[in-house]
Structures are given as C-alpha cells and as structure tokens.
Amino acid sequence: MSDERFGLRRRALLAGPLPLDGGASLPAVEIGYETYGTLSPAADNAVLVCHALTGDQYLASDHPVTGKPGWWTRMVGPGKPIDTDRWFVICSNVLGSCMGSSGPASVDPTTGEQWGMAFPVITIRDMVRAQALLLDHLGIGRLAAVVGGSMGGMQALSWAATFPERVEAAVVIAATARHSAQNIAFHEVGRQAIMADPKWRNGAYYESGDPPAAGLAVARMAAHITYLSEAGLTAKFGRRLQARPDGQAGAKTFGFDADFQVESYLRHQGLAFTDRFDANSYLYITRALDYFDLAEEHGGMLANAFRDTATRFCIVSFDTDWLYPTAESRVMVQALNAAGARASFVELSSPFGHDAFLLESPELDRVVRGFLTWGRA
C-alpha cells in the first residue's frame, strides 16, 4: 500500500506551537511539499533540497500555476546528479511563502482570516525548524544530505548548525553565511516598491482580489538584476533595441517605452512573477534573508556554528556571482576549517552570474553527484 505522505503536491498540517526566533510562535504549521523516489526501509537515503527566495516545492514536476517544468528538473530525477533511483528527495515550500506553506497569505487558525501583516516575522532558522517538523512527520530522523543554492544554501548551512546530528552532508551553492549591506539595500528597494503601491493597503489586499502587482513587479525587476552578470547581460542584450510592434526594426522612441531589449526582458520578468507570488510573502522572505547571520547566532564567531560537527560540507561558488561572490564562500570554508569540519570547496566558471546554479552546468552536475555518492557503496 502506498504511503499517502509521499508523492507530488502534498500538504502536511503539523501540530504546534512552533516557537520563532522573533519571540512569537505559530499555533500550527502547514507545509506544502513534494517527494521523489523511494524511501529506503532504514530511512537512510533522504535528501532535502531547499529552494531559493522565489522558489517553491515544485523541484522536478510541472508548476501548477505556470505549467513550466520544475526549477531543478535538470538536477533531480532518475539517473541525474541527485538520482531519484537512489535518493528519496524532499522539497518543501518554506515557511512564510505562498505555495501551500504557512505565511501571510494563509489563514490564521485562531481567527479564521488570512494573516496578512499579522503573520510573525520569521528567520531562516525558523524555516529550518519547520522543515524538521515535516521530516518528523515523514518518519525521517537523519538526512543523507541537505542541498541548496542561494537562500537554499543558507538553509543548508542552518540545518547543519541547528540540527548537526540530523545531517550527514551539506551542499551549499552560491550562498553566504550572512547578508551584506549591499544585499540588504537591494531588498529594501524591493520592499519599498511593494509598500509604495497604493494597492498594498498595509498588506490587507486579499479580500479585494487586487494585489499590489505593480510594486511586486518592480521589486522582482530590481532583484533579478542581481541574479545576472554584466557579461551575461551584455552577451544576451547589449544595447540592442527592441523590435517595434509593427514589425519595424528597433528604433529609439524618444519616450519611455521599453526601447532596449534588456528593458523589455526585465518588464516581462516582473509581470510574470506577479502571477505566481504573493507580495507580502516577498516582504517576509526578504526580511528573513536580511536577518540571516550565522555567526551572530553563535556568539559572533562563524566557526562556532560548526564546532564538533560530523557533517561533511561541499561549498560551491561561481566566478561571476556578485550577489554572493566567491569571497563569501571562502569565509565559510575558513570557518569550517577552523572548526575542524570536513569541507571541500570549488569555484566554478560561468558567464551567468548568481543564477548559474539553476542553469546547465556539467561541472556543477559532476560536483553534486560525486559529493553525494562519496563514501557510500
């Protein structure tokens, strides 16, 4: 008989309360998630994949809103680097998001109304604690690995620091152990764009059915620039002009239409994002990222987060990533070495900037496959 807990498009309602870093607690937690592959009888082949800021649990299945393939289909599946013939893979929507997990768009069980801005502010560690509750629900005591890129990599770090006894290995890709002032600044621009939209209504826009799409689109446009590289943008767009609607070759309008191809691209990215994401969730998740400082959580010294850990680590950076540059990964590696942890590190070359971990990368495939299978028969 199949286990109803496992499979695609699953939801779990987990009994609370869940204490949060900010001092509040959630009375209960709902988590949207998917699983792929088969859990071994000993439950020792589980791999948790953590998603980035605007990601979701649709790791290797079609997205129910956009219809597009899962965001890491190239990495997860039978015979792929995270091989579902070997590993039982779990991916859950993070706490605070909007694809089935408890967040500002979900219903407060104590009031019967959507949380909105009454939802408590959360942290990356709170997201990890909620994932731990999900693993308890699934009967998984220990992970063979936790894998993530960007915010997913921060979750992987937090997993290893918060529940070291439950993590055999951690793969941290294009991530950082804390947000820089520049990172916080970009996020603040996005948050202010959302809150300046008259349709935001202090977060109480759900009943109107008219969300602050314009503000959210601008927030996405600003953030998307940080995911790319200058070389990648130049190669893809340069200063090429957008073809006109009448089919004529591109020409300057001497107005404020999208004259340049890169302008049109960003506008498309912004508008498409509003179809699948909640503006309040964007506020909450970016705030969680900005609060992330693993050293601060451990007495001001990053090495303390990994002291006496048995977890082995693989840290991966990309040479054109200016959002979380290689220098940030080296800080993590130095802390891991100082703590005596087993750690490997590689900087990969890619023209695609921060988003390189989501795109075709044979080198990353080899690193992930090799690290996960190392030491296992």
Side-chain angles (χ1 to χ4, degrees):
M1 182 180 295
S2 62
D3 193 321
E4 290 299 317
R5 296 173 300 172
F6 304 151
L8 305 182
R9 303 191 184 184
R10 295 296 195 264
R11 290 195 183 190
L13 183 60
L14 309 172
L18 174 65
L20 303 173
D21 280 342
S25 66
L26 290 172
V29 179
E30 188 170 21
I31 299 291
Y33 68 99
E34 294 200 336
T35 71
Y36 309 82
T38 303
L39 187 64
S40 66
D44 62 354
N45 69 330
V47 173
L48 176 67
V49 176
C50 302
H51 69 72
L53 192 167
T54 62
D56 46 55
Q57 66 270 42
Y58 304 109
L59 174 70
S61 67
D62 291 348
H63 195 284
V65 176
T66 67
K68 293 181 179 180
W71 57 269
W72 231 11
T73 300
R74 52 164 290 273
M75 182 67 74
V76 177
K80 294 181 180 180
I82 303 178
D83 188 350
T84 51
D85 288 335
R86 176 170 192 162
W87 306 110
F88 178 71
V89 180
I90 312 110
C91 186
S92 68
N93 192 219
V94 297
L95 187 68
S97 193
C98 52
M99 294 302 294
S101 292
S102 296
S106 61
V107 174
D108 177 353
T110 62
T111 66
E113 299 179 354
Q114 284 172 292
W115 282 96
M117 298 303 288
F119 193 76
V121 171
I122 55 170
T123 66
I124 298 294
R125 186 162 54 180
D126 292 332
M127 296 175 184
V128 166
R129 292 190 184 110
Q131 291 166 347
L133 290 179
L134 174 63
L135 293 187
D136 293 343
H137 169 73
L138 298 178
I140 298 168
R142 181 172 167 83
L143 290 165
V146 56
V147 182
S150 192
M151 187 182 84
M154 297 179 211
Q155 292 167 69
L157 284 172
S158 187
W159 256 103
T162 308
F163 299 107
E165 72 286 353
R166 299 189 70 169
V167 181
E168 181 179 330
V171 183
V172 180
I173 307 168
T176 181
R178 69 172 184 176
H179 252 202
S180 68
Q182 178 176 261
N183 298 147
I184 296 168
F186 271 105
H187 278 170
E188 178 61 4
V189 170
R191 287 190 291 265
Q192 288 300 318
I194 291 169
M195 292 188 286
D197 189 324
K199 294 182 179 180
W200 181 59
R201 302 181 182 89
N202 293 317
Y205 54 81
Y206 296 113
E207 287 189 8
S208 72
D210 189 19
L216 180 59
V218 172
R220 174 63 170 175
M221 290 167 66
H224 197 73
I225 295 168
T226 71
Y227 306 151
L228 309 172
S229 70
E230 182 180 4
L233 279 171
T234 299
K236 189 170 185 177
F237 303 110
R239 289 181 51 86
R240 290 187 291 277
L241 295 169
Q242 184 75 359
R244 308 318 313 166
D246 59 7
Q248 296 297 311
K252 295 174 184 175
T253 64
F254 293 93
F256 295 97
D257 288 336
D259 280 356
F260 295 96
Q261 289 181 10
V262 68
E263 293 175 313
S264 179
Y265 169 78
L266 286 175
R267 292 185 187 190
H268 170 75
Q269 290 294 325
L271 290 173
F273 183 60
T274 63
D275 292 335
R276 67 175 180 88
F277 214 81
D278 176 60
N280 284 341
S281 284
Y282 194 88
L283 299 179
Y284 276 82
I285 298 175
T286 57
R287 179 52 93 197
L289 279 164
D290 292 345
Y291 279 161
F292 185 62
D293 186 340
L294 201 56
E296 182 182 67
E297 294 174 8
H298 294 83
M301 184 175 294
L302 186 56
N304 289 343
F306 312 113
R307 197 75 65 187
D308 300 323
T309 184
T311 303
R312 58 188 183 91
F313 294 81
C314 178
I315 310 296
V316 182
S317 71
F318 293 94
D319 60 354
T320 54
D321 184 351
W322 61 275
L323 181 64
Y324 304 138
T326 293
E328 298 290 329
S329 290
R330 293 191 188 280
V331 169
M332 289 186 268
V333 174
Q334 289 165 1
L336 288 164
N337 289 339
R342 293 177 293 168
S344 57
F345 165 66
V346 60
E347 180 189 51
L348 301 179
S349 181
S350 169
F352 301 119
H354 181 67
D355 265 357
F357 77 96
L358 295 171
L359 305 173
E360 198 66 38
S361 175
E363 295 83 4
L364 180 62
D365 293 354
R366 286 194 291 271
V367 168
V368 171
R369 186 193 300 273
F371 183 77
L372 290 181
T373 56
W374 181 83
R376 286 193 167 229

